[in-house]
Amino acid sequence: MLYHHLTSIFRFEFFSYILRLSCPLGFVCNEDLTQKALCSEIREIPQKFLIGDVFGGVYCPEGKIGMENCPKGKYCPSPVEQLNCPAGYFCPYKTATPEISCPGCKEGATALERDIGIQVIIILFVIVIIVGTIASIIYKRTKHLVAKQVEVLSYRLVGENSAKAQKAKQNQLDKLRPKLAVIAKRLEDLDKESGKDSKNLIKISKTEGEDEKLEFDARGIFDALDTNNDGDLQYAELNAVLGFDDEELEVFCTSMNKAADAKEIKNTKEDSVSRPVFVNNFLKALEGTVNLKVTPAEAAEIYDTILAENQVKEVQESMLYTSVLSNTLSDYEIMLLIKKFRQVNAIDEESPSSNRQESRKSSVFRRHTGIAREIFVLHYPTFLMQVYTEKDAVDTSEGVDICFKDLCLEVTVAKKQINVVNNVTGRLRAKTMTALMGGSGAGKTSLLNALCGRAYYGNIIGDTYINGTKKQIEEIKDVIGFVPQDDVVYAELTVRENLMFAGKLSLPRGTDMDEIEDLADSTLANLGLSRVAKSLVGDVKRRGVSGGEKKRVNIGLELMSRPKCLFLDEPTSGLDSSSALLVMSSLKNLVSSEGVTIVTVIHQPRKFIFDLFDALVLLGVGGNTVYSGPAKGAYDYFVGLDYVLPPGEALADWLIDISAGQIHPDPKVAATKDQEKDDDDDQLMAITPRMMTEAVGKKGVAMGKAKEAITDAAMRREWLYKEWQKYFDGLDNEQKSIYEVPAETEVPGAKDKQRFFSQLWTQLRRIVLVSYRNLTAKLVDTIILIVAAVIISLVSGLPEISRNDNPSIEFETLVSFDQTSAPGIVAQLFKYAATIQQTYPLQIGLITAVLVGLQASRILTSKQLEFFRETSSGYDSNAYLLAVNIMATLETSVQIVIVALIAAMLREPVASWGVFFAHFLAMAWTVVSWSLLFPMVMPAENVSTVLGAFFAFFGLLLSGAVPPIGFGKIYGGDIVEHLSAWLSVTRFFLEGMAASEHRCLPEQSGWTVSEESINFDRANTLMAYRRFSYARHDPNATLYDCGGWYWGILPTIFIGITVRYLGFLAMHGFNRGKQTKKPVFHEIQKDGKCGILVVVLLLVLIGLIAFTTWLYTRDLEADYEYVGIEKWVQTGLEQNLTELRETLNLTDWNISDIPNLLEMNADLDTAALTRVTLPTGEFPDEFMNQPDPTLVPIVDPNVDPNVDPDLLNGTLRALMSAAWNGTCECPCSEQN
């Protein structure tokens, strides 16, 4: 029989094949060397059963009974070959084919090596950035020091010994010489009539070697002209000496009065000049008047002087503010002069082909046009005369008149309702300036907030009338401006830039750029800021404008919205007396020129500031009225209450002391009045001034006890409140008219605000400009990030792809490869690659998250006050938040791309570099999202601490890389998975980086499986190993792909979107008081639509959370087919049996007659017969085509040319396998 014959042949060949003293090359043997198997066949078995090349890269050396991993630096295409790894590649343990690129590796490299060229590039890049940053810092510091030295030097140069100062004085003398000579001559003529001697009052002398000197005795000249010795000099009388024409006299009088106002010296009469005014300002006013009539030659000289001072070829408009013109012209007058020159240049500016027009369109702000020499010389004399003689513009609009009656502000303190403003009645007349004064705790700011609609913290009770119509102040909020006490402005912007951005954001829709720029110019001129228009505002970190100028910029921001009523909270706080006067004078000018109604809280103003106010509201403790009415009437009112103003004491201080109850009425005056009264009058319920004096004593401390002093002061205040109410009730109709509601006039309506995208664009431009001005700080932040990435990458070293851990598999297990033994075998085969790739991603991810988060949060925390102010002023907060989000994301992305590039260069990843960029950017997106949320819910000073702790704590604990919370627990399906996804910014970053590296390893590593290996159970890969447990929701992560694994990118993006949306809600829900808004619940109760909007917004939040949660919890479908060995064998046997029946015409065979190819029958007597143990399955090709001449081929293809060799071999192989297992008694016919 053929069956028995073939069985004998194979058993004989097996017996002779294993008779050797040691395990040969390419074989594995049992311990006593009685059995052995071909390694190549063992490698092929899993491949033939579509399990994969799990034995790829093994090496079976001679003299060793087991398999070994191919050593590092070599690759083993077969179990008997070891070849050096080629240059440019790295071959870790168990490499079958070189696949891992390593540009820096030489042939046979045993470790990953960095490319020297890349290292040099990184070092040079870091050096360039560091040097550039240091150079920038040094340049700015040097520039700052030079500026200070120049300033100090300039102070020295303007002294008497300065050649420039001497030349300027000489030029002044030359211009004044003719007029001074005329004045001296006329004084001599007057001397003849009066008999006075005024020869030496004006004298120009010159000493050899020195310049001419002017000896000018202003006091002597005044005394010579003041014939009646009354201390006042009529302008007409003065002109008898000056000899001015009507225009010149008008200019001279105006200059004297303006100079007097600026120096806090007042004329007693409008048509005359007092002695102090004359002495201090005569020479300057005379110079301005002399310069009034300018010849073309003088105009050309002025133009050339400006050119020389600025070293330019054409005079620019802005240069006029700091030129010689500023000696005689105010900023406002220079602005009028510039406008006239613009009118001359209007045709040129509007020309379509004009370069200036194109430059203006391409600029953020208008570039001041130049003034040609011929135009300046031609028009300057005429324009100067027009500026001097034209009357100041006076606003003719109705303005805003606010009348309030019994106004109360009720707040809750310790669950009790307290009035901090108590029944205050008054009127803020249109186009007037009103002062709110009082001692500490008098409720000045509370009254101011109640009047301007910013009392978010309390309930306002009382009636308010706007232009005679009963309305709430919130209804005209668009025409109200509020200037906070603190100077909340953008320090990185120039004065003009601050105003321009404010105008673009607050002016009505449709306002063109020319109108905004003209308003900015006018505001700068009115506030005296034109000279510093191009100067940075500055702060403690950078040099800027002075405190007074900064205060005026603070005011200018509100003026850019063209308010009709302006409220200010202590605008003179922190300023010296001259700066305070300049600020208040600027405000007073706005009343007349712009028609603005001004209300300001002011504390202890000087006399000249107090005199600027039209009305006064004086409050006592508890917000009670002590006085309300004309400012000039306050003195007479309190004198009527027997108070006496001590000599030398400021009126404002005296009034505040009275309101606080710190001083008492004069007892002598009180006694005199009491004696004149009838003793029988009913005085039981009233407290007279005399009673007050006797009760508390002269110094206000009864019996020297502090407690009684406090009580006495309270008694005085109560008496003052009652006295004011008594006085107010006793006013006649004419006197009361100033408090009554005026006739109804038009109420200013709401303005059409800028569109959302217009404000967004403006906000973006401003943020970009601010960021550019902080470029040095941004570079320092970037350097810190780069240095951190370099250090971590160098310290962590290159990735450890595999380790020297050879498989330890028993011989019987190895040759019995079936579904039972497979897990144990693959576990041993894969253990060499079970390396942890989590340490580096965790380190660099955590450090990057903390640094980037702290940097990103500063964009909000550093401008939190500015945000609150602008939101309170009606700016679109949503546009601001979106602009901040865009800018923070862009800035961070640039930094992260640089960091990711450097990290990839130094790390030499196995997978694509795109993995670094994608996951770094995704993590940065989430980090920035959290960084923009925290500033919305907590004070700015606490953000950095809380944010750093948040990133460090949750980024470490819930990252999945630190026990006890690993990825196995994260994927356990409990709350940990959700906490890790939402709170840990490193969770998806770490998993994505690690899984991408492992996914680029071949399937013999155990991390991946090829698509063809349909019978390999993915649960047996290292991805699913409990030590790692990566990518449990994405079965495709086990497919070999060096392009990276990006499953976590989409959940990360939507987590960032959700957190940013939460920040949007937090912006509208938190810190509403600082945005001068009522709590959300109050708004819901007030307006039902607000409640609907809140519900919709919350539903959107819930939807985002639900969708994001679904993204990271859903199980993706596999892109490969998994069959399984048992099913595959069953299907294959059925198919093969069908073919065998058809070929051999066997109709009686069933599938049970053919053995399971995955099982090894152990019925053979291995003790009696030595054999080569082979893996189960098809009969190996080694014994079908054995090169050993002693082996006989199974089938000779030449026997019968009509027989198909492949078909016959296949049939015989199936039969041989059954015969080898000894289980088949084939019902073969004699023919078969």
Side-chain angles (χ1 to χ4, degrees), residues 384-395:
L384 182 64
M385 179 64 72
Q386 292 174 357
V387 168
Y388 269 127
T389 55
E390 287 177 357
K391 299 293 184 181
D392 292 340
V394 178
D395 183 80

Side-chain angles (χ1 to χ4, degrees), residues 401-404 425-430 432 434 615 617 628 737-743:
D401 188 295
I402 301 176
C403 184
F404 49 96
T425 297
R427 181 179 172 189
L428 309 176
R429 300 174 67 87
T432 61
T434 302
V617 176
S628 178
S737 63
I738 62 174
Y739 303 98
E740 295 297 330
V741 179

Side-chain angles (χ1 to χ4, degrees), residues 80-115:
V80 297
E81 293 182 276
Q82 275 192 16
L83 303 176
N84 286 331
C85 192
Y89 287 89
F90 172 66
C91 299
Y93 292 106
K94 202 168 181 276
T95 299
T97 304
E99 295 179 355
I100 299 175
S101 176
C102 176
C105 292
K106 299 178 181 179
E107 182 179 355
T110 58
L112 283 170
E113 297 180 5
R114 295 187 178 95
D115 190 351

Side-chain angles (χ1 to χ4, degrees), residues 707-1004:
K707 183 176 180 181
E708 294 180 3
I710 295 173
T711 303
D712 296 340
M715 290 176 60
R716 277 194 292 268
R717 291 194 297 269
E718 289 296 329
W719 174 73
L720 287 170
Y721 305 154
K722 293 178 180 178
E723 285 297 316
W724 167 253
Q725 191 61 45
K726 184 192 302 183
Y727 170 82
F728 183 79
D729 294 339
L731 293 175
D732 56 33
N733 292 334
E734 182 179 356
Q735 292 173 323
K736 242 179 188 178
S737 63
I738 62 174
Y739 303 98
E740 295 297 330
V741 179
E744 290 189 11
T745 57
E746 183 181 358
V747 178
K751 59 185 177 184
D752 194 9
K753 294 184 179 181
Q754 295 284 347
R755 293 184 176 90
F756 171 81
F757 287 104
S758 176
Q759 292 207 38
L760 173 62
W761 179 241
T762 302
Q763 292 282 11
L764 270 175
R765 295 168 78 181
R766 181 172 64 179
I767 292 174
V768 169
L769 186 57
V770 170
S771 181
Y772 173 75
R773 298 271 166 80
N774 289 323
L775 184 59
T776 302
K778 301 291 183 184
L779 288 176
V780 172
D781 292 340
T782 305
I783 288 176
I784 294 174
L785 267 173
I786 291 174
V787 171
V790 170
I791 292 175
I792 293 173
S793 299
L794 292 177
V795 171
S796 298
L798 297 175
E800 182 187 2
I801 299 175
S802 61
R803 57 188 178 183
N804 188 16
D805 199 344
N806 291 315
S808 178
I809 308 174
E810 294 183 0
F811 179 81
E812 291 297 332
T813 303
L814 190 62
V815 298
S816 303
F817 194 94
D818 56 21
Q819 61 265 40
T820 304
S821 63
I825 293 176
V826 297
Q828 285 293 322
L829 290 174
F830 297 162
K831 66 179 182 179
Y832 84 100
T835 57
I836 297 177
Q837 299 287 347
Q838 299 175 347
T839 304
Y840 175 75
L842 178 62
Q843 291 173 344
I844 197 167
L846 203 58
I847 295 298
T848 302
V850 173
L851 293 178
V852 169
L854 295 180
Q855 295 171 19
S857 66
R858 286 203 297 267
I859 196 170
L860 273 181
T861 57
S862 62
K863 300 301 176 187
Q864 195 175 65
L865 294 178
E866 288 85 344
F867 164 71
F868 290 148
R869 173 181 181 166
E870 293 181 350
T871 305
S872 302
S873 298
Y875 295 10
D876 194 326
S877 58
N878 297 326
Y880 173 79
L881 182 62
L882 182 56
V884 166
N885 272 270
I886 293 173
M887 191 60 195
T889 303
L890 291 177
E891 281 185 353
T892 305
S893 297
V894 172
Q895 294 175 328
I896 284 298
V897 167
I898 296 174
V899 171
L901 178 62
I902 292 176
M905 287 179 171
L906 293 177
R907 182 65 176 173
E908 292 286 353
V910 176
S912 168
W913 283 18
V915 172
F916 274 69
F917 293 112
H919 287 90
F920 266 99
L921 286 172
M923 182 184 67
W925 166 261
T926 309
V927 168
V928 173
S929 302
W930 285 108
S931 300
L932 297 181
L933 170 64
F934 278 83
M936 293 297 176
V937 298
M938 64 179 58
E941 58 270 15
N942 298 332
V943 169
S944 58
T945 302
V946 176
L947 197 61
F950 173 82
F951 287 139
F953 180 77
F954 290 111
L956 188 66
L957 181 65
L958 300 176
S959 63
V962 179
I965 301 177
F967 282 102
K969 192 167 186 178
I970 288 176
Y971 282 110
D974 56 10
I975 190 64
V976 176
E977 181 176 9
H978 303 295
L979 293 176
S980 175
W982 286 101
L983 300 181
S984 177
V985 295
T986 58
R987 179 253 194 272
F988 293 109
F989 172 80
L990 188 150
E991 185 180 19
M993 294 281 285
S996 295
E997 288 288 278
H998 295 311
R999 198 183 185 194
C1000 191
L1001 299 178
E1003 60 182 345
Q1004 63 262 26

Side-chain angles (χ1 to χ4, degrees), residues 1216-1229:
M1216 294 300 179
S1217 296
W1220 176 256
N1221 291 324
T1223 59
C1224 181
E1225 296 180 359
C1226 298
C1228 300
S1229 64

Side-chain angles (χ1 to χ4, degrees), residues 11 40 53 140 168 214 227 412 489 539 555 601 634 660 685 698 789 823 875 1088 1098 1103 1207 1222:
R11 289 182 176 178
S40 58
D53 190 14
K140 289 188 176 182
L214 172 64
T227 55
T412 302
V489 296
D539 53 15
I555 297 171
V601 173
M685 299 303 296
K698 293 184 178 182
Y875 295 10
L1098 291 178
L1207 176 61

